[in-house]
Amino acid sequence: MNMSQNRQESALPRCPGCEEPLEQGDLFCGACGYDLSAVPEPPPDRPTVAIVTPDPGAGVPPAGAPGAGAPRAGAPRAAAPSGARLDGPARSGDFELAAPGAAAPDPRLSPKPAQAVAAAPAAGAKLCVACRAGRVDGDGYCENCGHAQPRERDHMEQELGSVAAVSDRGLRHHRNEDSFAVSTTALPDGSAAVVAIVCDGVSSASRPDEASAAAASTANESLLEALPRGTHPQQAMHEAIVAASESVNRLAQEPDREREPHRHQNAPACTLVGAVMASGLLVVGWVGDSRVYWVPEDRSTAPARLTEDDSWAAQMVATGLMNEAEAYADERAHAITGWLGADAYELEPHTVSFKPDRPGLVVVCTDGLWNYAESAAEMAAAVPEDAYERPLHGARVLVGHALDGGGHDNVTVALLPFAVSPQGAGSA
């Protein structure tokens, strides 16, 4: 975390329980679960949350569950941040990196209890990124200076052939609750298939980070099993979403190892969006409000959004009750109406198959990015000109675009360059 980020967060209202920054609409602290009902309303944000109309005969879901407390007449409850955390009040992980070769801080000034100067780390042990001298313990803290170490999931990157993805914690959340999976495989005819899955943990649910990781991994594995068998890519995508949903449902049956007495517990949940390129087809599948955009390599051709959100705003537009500008300006806009998880009202995987007639770039992303480039034209403008040839660089630039815009949410994007063979023609 850099110092400018520290200054941004220091200006935000803080949780009375753990001092984490708060955001508009929070019912509970995203870090420690503190009940914020008596706390003044914090500054605005647009995170991912879920709503559902409860079954009158099913009872009322526990507070904090997706849809808990939501009025039946279409007025969803206030949004909770997608930076929910279940591991207790945070110790500060903010620090300035020491210059290479700089001396370690005096251990007498360490925030940890007084102790002897830490012994030199054993060969292969992880060194503290702050003091460059202490060994990192099993809890992720330096045994010499006490600084918390960056978590691996705070920023992730992967490039695999022609597909690349980047995920970042953002500037306002305690941890990254997005997840992704990218892969390649071969079809029965020997041609290549490329896969990208992006998931966004629902912050008002318990263990959203586990939900997104389970969904992304399971959907990817399902596709890698089905595509080489010759399953049609659209059917394979449908099956992958169902399998991902089942994997998230199973999390609700597992004990919550990090349960805290003051935090409401409910079923883990996440959104999912994926893309498969195979046999000249582009297949898109999703549940929730993560999106796929199409950006032609020839920028004189119009870009397009290929998904429709499962959200309150999208429902208002679809029913003609509001136009798009009005719906997405409403504070309820980002309340989702579809998600993966045991508390989901009904699983309705969406799948669409396209046959592009020209090369282009497929952008698969969470709302942490598209909040800052909502329309297809805005997304195309944010994509660097060389992203088709350098997808990892392009994904990094898009994450940077979201961070420069405020980084209010976790940010994840995968880029898949789509090539068209000379004999390919037509679109569907």
Side-chain angles (χ1 to χ4, degrees), residues 48 200 271 287-291 309-311 334 336 338 365 367 370:
T48 299
D200 183 355
T271 69
V287 173
D289 66 345
S290 293
R291 294 180 175 180
D309 300 343
D310 289 320
S311 70
H334 287 252
I336 60 175
C365 65
D367 63 344
W370 68 253

Side-chain angles (χ1 to χ4, degrees), residues 338-350:
W339 64 90
L340 306 183
D343 285 346
Y345 183 67
E346 184 178 2
L347 176 64
E348 294 185 5
H350 311 288

Side-chain angles (χ1 to χ4, degrees), residues 172-357:
R172 294 274 293 276
H173 290 299
H174 172 74
R175 67 181 177 187
N176 189 1
E177 292 169 353
D178 287 356
S179 191
F180 70 81
V182 294
S183 60
T184 61
T185 189
L187 301 178
D189 65 2
S191 62
V194 182
V195 173
I197 302 292
V198 168
C199 296
D200 183 355
V202 174
S203 59
S204 56
S206 300
R207 296 145 61 200
D209 56 328
E210 295 181 37
S212 63
S217 175
T218 301
N220 183 61
E221 291 171 3
S222 178
L223 286 162
L224 292 182
E225 181 181 347
L227 292 170
R229 293 200 314 259
T231 305
H232 189 280
Q234 189 167 358
Q235 177 63 29
M237 177 63 78
H238 179 93
E239 294 173 357
I241 296 174
V242 172
S245 176
E246 293 171 349
S247 72
V248 177
N249 290 351
R250 286 193 293 270
L251 292 177
Q253 303 167 10
E254 300 175 1
D256 187 350
R257 297 179 299 276
E258 299 177 341
R259 180 162 186 161
E260 302 173 42
H262 59 285
R263 184 178 185 85
H264 294 285
Q265 302 297 309
N266 50 38
C270 69
T271 69
L272 180 149
V273 66
V276 173
M277 299 188 309
S279 300
L281 295 176
L282 169 60
V283 172
V284 173
W286 75 97
V287 173
D289 66 345
S290 293
R291 294 180 175 180
V292 175
Y293 293 83
W294 168 258
V295 179
E297 185 182 24
D298 178 1
R299 296 302 181 90
S300 65
T301 306
R305 172 154 64 95
L306 306 183
T307 56
E308 293 293 336
D309 300 343
D310 289 320
S311 70
W312 181 91
Q315 282 193 345
M316 293 299 102
V317 175
T319 56
L321 296 176
M322 289 184 176
N323 63 40
E324 190 164 303
E326 292 170 338
Y328 281 97
D330 193 284
E331 62 181 8
R332 298 165 291 182
H334 287 252
I336 60 175
T337 57
W339 64 90
L340 306 183
D343 285 346
Y345 183 67
E346 184 178 2
L347 176 64
E348 294 185 5
H350 311 288
T351 61
V352 184
S353 181
F354 302 89
K355 190 175 181 63
D357 62 354

Side-chain angles (χ1 to χ4, degrees), residues 123-185:
K126 188 175 180 180
L127 271 176
C128 172
V129 300
C131 70
R132 309 285 180 93
R135 185 175 68 88
V136 178
D137 64 21
D139 293 327
Y141 290 84
C142 176
E143 293 181 345
N144 181 43
C145 70
H147 279 297
Q149 305 299 295
R151 285 160 295 197
E152 179 182 359
R153 197 160 162 179
D154 281 357
H155 185 89
M156 302 179 291
E157 298 186 356
Q158 186 176 359
E159 185 174 37
L160 188 63
S162 62
V163 59
V166 176
S167 182
D168 192 89
R169 178 173 63 90
L171 303 179
R172 294 274 293 276
H173 290 299
H174 172 74
R175 67 181 177 187
N176 189 1
E177 292 169 353
D178 287 356
S179 191
F180 70 81
V182 294
S183 60
T184 61
T185 189

Side-chain angles (χ1 to χ4, degrees), residues 277 280 294 356 358-360 388 416-421:
M277 299 188 309
W294 168 258
R358 67 201 68 199
Y388 186 88
L416 299 82
F418 189 100
V420 174
S421 58

